[in-house]
Amino acid sequence: MWGWRDQRHGSVFVAQSTVPYSGGGAFAAVAICNGEWICRYTGRPVPASVVRSDPACQAGYVKRVGGPYIDARDPHGRLRLADGRLVDTHAFTHADWEALPMRGVVWEGAAELSRFIQQAPLGVRANVVLRGSDVVATADVPPGAELF
């Protein structure tokens, strides 16, 4: 089992999500076992009062991680591609994600690649869960599978 200090670099990559009408998605780069710690959901803490009143918090990056809410929007962060280039994905369209020439391997900023974990589509069982700010597998996840 991996601990929170073992950042497990290389266990997750980012590419176009398989979820219709979404942008980037987080995928398993290696086999991940049920119950295994994957990464942390990081970002800026946000009070519940702000989450309820700020429309920007409804965009999908704000998650409740135990007691506090965490906003992983990270507008100054950038995705580092496998060839070392930095890409600003904040305004990416579906077509931009489709045209991305390679995987994103690191998020450079205040958040982590976990910000790309999508909500499972209807009829698809989630394979990860937030336990506090830890992202943990709820099923065996083969390499290349999207994390939901």
Side-chain angles (χ1 to χ4, degrees):
M1 185 70 81
W2 294 83
W4 68 271
R5 293 183 186 273
D6 303 304
Q7 293 297 304
R8 281 219 58 196
H9 291 295
S11 64
V12 176
F13 69 88
V14 173
Q16 182 180 4
S17 176
T18 61
V19 176
Y21 309 108
S22 63
F27 294 81
V30 297
I32 299 171
C33 296
N34 186 2
E36 192 171 349
W37 180 87
I38 301 168
C39 58
R40 293 180 61 96
Y41 194 83
T42 58
R44 179 178 59 87
V46 180
S49 60
V50 172
V51 171
R52 286 189 292 273
S53 63
D54 182 357
C57 289
Q58 306 307 316
Y61 291 112
V62 177
K63 307 273 188 236
R64 188 166 191 175
V65 293
Y69 288 88
I70 298 293
D71 182 353
R73 280 181 287 175
D74 195 12
H76 301 291
R78 300 294 181 262
L79 182 64
R80 184 164 302 278
L81 300 180
D83 68 358
R85 287 184 292 147
L86 281 175
V87 178
D88 180 359
T89 61
H90 292 95
F92 263 30
T93 65
H94 189 73
D96 293 326
W97 279 105
E98 196 172 75
L100 197 66
M102 65 196 58
R103 297 173 171 180
V105 294
V106 174
W107 183 260
E108 298 204 2
E112 222 182 277
L113 291 178
S114 58
R115 69 189 298 276
F116 290 98
I117 295 173
Q118 300 285 344
Q119 182 173 333
L122 288 175
V124 176
R125 184 174 175 259
N127 55 17
V128 299
V129 67
L130 281 174
R131 291 194 181 136
S133 61
D134 294 326
V135 178
V136 178
T138 59
D140 290 339
V141 183
E146 188 165 3
L147 303 176
F148 301 113

